[in-house]
Amino acid sequence: MKKLLAEFIGTLWLVLGGCGSAVLAAGFPELGIGFVGVAFAFGLTVLTMAYAIGHISGCHLNPAVTMGMWVGGRIDSKVVPGYIVSQVLGGIVGAGILYLIASGKPGFELGSFAANGFGEASPGGYSMLAALICEIVMTFFFLFVILGTTHKNAPSGFAGLAIGLALTLIHLISIPVTNTSVNPARSTSQAIFAGGIHLEQLWLFWIAPIIGAILAGIVYKFLAPDKD
């Protein structure tokens, strides 16, 4: 139960911090943080939670990470469903808190609410195929870094920093393409509030990250099995 609560709180923080930066601060007149600021905000949420709850639950905060860790032989299959449910619920609560804050401004318009999308829902108008490839590849490398830095032979104490910076880099690359998911829980939380086309396209932001994560789990397990 403690692990599930940790995943709930951690994913709530990821959505509130990452998506909150996009909704509240990215476009603030003259002082907005822009794409770079949003990228760092997502990275910082993972970095901070890695050290806060990594020793409790492993700090997955992401159904794709949980799947990749399972395929990579790092966690038992029995914990997978509970982790995923906790992550999705944490993301939804985080989005709900963000909505309550954002809607407190006069003239508030929901807009995309930092939801993910392709085609007309993509910040740069990228196609479904481009979004699919981007999300698979970005999630693959995210899990590759996670599996590598948390390996028993990796230097201890630096995993959170490397993982947070990896997520920052991923956002710097892919925000224009899909608004960057690599996390089905984060995508679900925002799509529920944004509705419309974002809910219709949500399937891609479950399928692509999980495919990328599974591929990374297979590849890294081959390269460096986490056993004596």
Side-chain angles (χ1 to χ4, degrees):
M1 182 59 70
K2 290 180 180 179
K3 291 182 178 181
L4 300 184
L5 181 58
E7 286 296 307
F8 175 90
I9 293 171
T11 312
L12 186 161
W13 179 235
L14 182 144
V15 168
L16 185 58
C19 296
S21 71
V23 172
L24 302 174
F28 200 86
E30 299 181 8
L31 298 174
I33 61 175
F35 283 174
V36 173
V38 173
F40 272 100
F42 272 100
L44 288 171
T45 62
V46 171
L47 190 157
T48 51
M49 275 296 153
Y51 293 108
I53 66 170
H55 59 288
I56 301 173
S57 67
C59 190
H60 294 187
L61 318 184
N62 182 339
V65 171
T66 297
M67 291 298 295
M69 295 293 274
W70 172 59
V71 172
R74 305 293 181 84
I75 60 171
D76 194 284
S77 60
K78 66 183 180 182
V79 309
V80 172
Y83 267 44
I84 292 175
V85 170
S86 297
Q87 292 154 4
V88 172
L89 291 177
I92 292 171
V93 172
I97 294 171
L98 175 58
Y99 177 82
L100 291 175
I101 296 170
S103 60
K105 179 182 178 180
F108 167 73
E109 294 182 6
L110 185 64
S112 68
F113 203 55
N116 303 115
F118 55 84
E120 63 181 282
S122 159
Y126 287 83
S127 69
M128 182 182 71
L129 179 59
L132 185 68
I133 294 171
C134 183
E135 289 292 327
I136 290 174
V137 173
M138 294 300 137
T139 312
F140 174 91
F141 281 104
F142 189 39
L143 264 295
F144 198 84
V145 171
I146 292 172
L147 289 163
T149 57
T150 58
H151 191 277
K152 64 183 180 65
N153 294 331
S156 61
F158 295 99
L161 181 60
I163 293 167
L165 288 174
L167 189 60
T168 299
L169 176 58
I170 286 166
H171 278 77
L172 289 172
I173 297 168
S174 60
I175 287 176
V177 183
T178 62
N179 237 0
T180 309
S181 171
V182 303
N183 185 339
R186 168 263 192 271
S187 296
T188 300
S189 66
Q190 304 312 115
I192 287 174
F193 283 85
I197 191 171
H198 300 289
L199 271 177
E200 294 171 7
Q201 296 182 352
L202 181 59
W203 62 269
L204 186 145
F205 301 102
W206 273 87
I207 291 174
I210 288 176
I211 290 174
I214 288 173
L215 290 174
I218 293 170
V219 171
Y220 206 90
K221 190 175 183 180
F222 171 74
L223 289 175
D226 196 24
K227 61 184 179 180
D228 294 330

